[in-house]
Amino acid sequence: MKSSAADARNTLQVAGKPGVSKERQLADLGADGIVSNAMTARAFLNHSQPNLSITELVASVQAHGEKVNGNDLAAAEQMLMAQAIALNSIFAEMARRSALNMGDYLDATDRYMRLALKAQGQCRATLETLAAIKNPPVVFARQANIAHGPQQVNNGVAPGRTQGASAHAHEQTGIKSNELLEMHDGKRLDAGAQGAAGLANPRLAAVGTVNRAKVGRGTRQSSTKQL
């Protein structure tokens, strides 16, 4: 009876799938890492739990993986918290042993203290991982425009024309920016010349005639040049 019970615990039983052989199902479990990790966990747990069934352990590992696939991280959070507590217990025990050897056995004191600090560092890292799962950090990415080789930027130029062609066409017009202020229908603007009255408001003509300053023609030309 004991032999048959032990054989049942050590035998992996897999539910058959239609159209899939037993060997293929075992190969799929091994490729997914479920069986291999379950066997590793059983080897380390054999001292504290010698009666674990490999079939049930594989099913438990697979169920935990399915929960993670469904974004259920409750089991992972509990495991990390339990590990942090265990690591803190290791730290406390190693620190206690280091204190007992202090003053008499410095080498043992140093070794125990190193083990205590390693356990403390792993405990801190475990808690940081748990905090990152509970509150994921926000990442701000800054866009960088990186170009390799020469570039040409044509602003305000029609497609198919280069910037040089646009500048050449502008030179062919023969009109510069300062000349545009002085030319109007082929004539220079005379700042002192009387403008014609508009039909919309005839009073502008009377006011312009009465209040027009009497300036000589030479003065008007110099004013034009200064403008």
Side-chain angles (χ1 to χ4, degrees):
M1 293 294 292
K2 293 182 179 180
S3 178
S4 60
D7 292 340
R9 290 194 302 267
N10 296 327
T11 303
L12 178 60
Q13 300 177 2
V14 181
K17 295 181 180 179
V20 182
S21 63
K22 181 179 179 181
E23 290 77 10
R24 176 56 186 271
Q25 294 184 51
L26 293 175
D28 292 340
L29 291 175
D32 291 339
I34 297 176
V35 174
S36 59
N37 285 280
M39 294 292 292
T40 303
R42 187 171 183 266
F44 281 93
L45 293 173
N46 191 31
H47 179 71
S48 59
Q49 301 181 28
N51 297 324
L52 283 178
S53 171
I54 184 61
T55 301
E56 297 299 328
L57 188 57
V58 168
S60 177
V61 173
Q62 188 173 8
H64 281 80
E66 292 175 353
K67 288 182 179 180
V68 174
N69 292 336
N71 295 327
D72 185 2
L73 300 177
E77 294 173 356
Q78 293 176 2
M79 180 185 65
L80 288 173
M81 193 63 225
Q83 289 179 356
I85 295 174
L87 288 168
N88 184 61
S89 301
I90 296 173
F91 162 75
E93 178 62 21
M94 294 299 104
R96 185 188 68 84
R97 295 189 181 190
S98 177
L100 290 176
N101 289 276
M102 187 175 296
D104 296 329
Y105 306 99
L106 295 179
D107 184 65
T109 301
D110 179 71
R111 292 188 179 185
Y112 280 124
M113 184 56 67
R114 289 178 183 271
L115 292 175
L117 294 179
K118 286 183 179 180
Q120 188 271 341
Q122 293 298 322
C123 179
R124 174 188 53 79
T126 303
L127 292 176
E128 288 180 353
T129 304
L130 180 61
I133 294 177
K134 297 292 290 184
N135 300 307
V138 180
V139 179
F140 295 94
R142 197 177 278 183
Q143 184 178 1
N145 296 325
I146 302 175
H148 299 280
Q151 282 189 332
Q152 180 178 357
V153 180
N154 299 326
N155 295 325
V157 182
R161 299 182 61 185
T162 61
Q163 188 174 4
S166 176
H168 181 68
H170 182 68
E171 292 177 357
Q172 289 182 350
T173 57
I175 301 177
K176 299 181 180 180
S177 59
N178 57 351
E179 292 178 354
L180 294 176
L181 297 176
E182 298 179 358
M183 299 295 294
H184 181 71
D185 294 338
K187 298 180 181 180
R188 285 187 175 271
L189 296 177
D190 190 354
Q194 180 179 0
L199 296 179
N201 194 351
R203 294 182 180 180
L204 294 178
V207 174
T209 302
V210 174
N211 296 333
R212 178 184 177 186
K214 296 181 180 180
V215 183
R217 182 168 183 80
T219 306
R220 290 197 301 269
Q221 292 179 355
S222 61
S223 301
T224 305
K225 294 180 179 180
Q226 293 177 0
L227 177 61

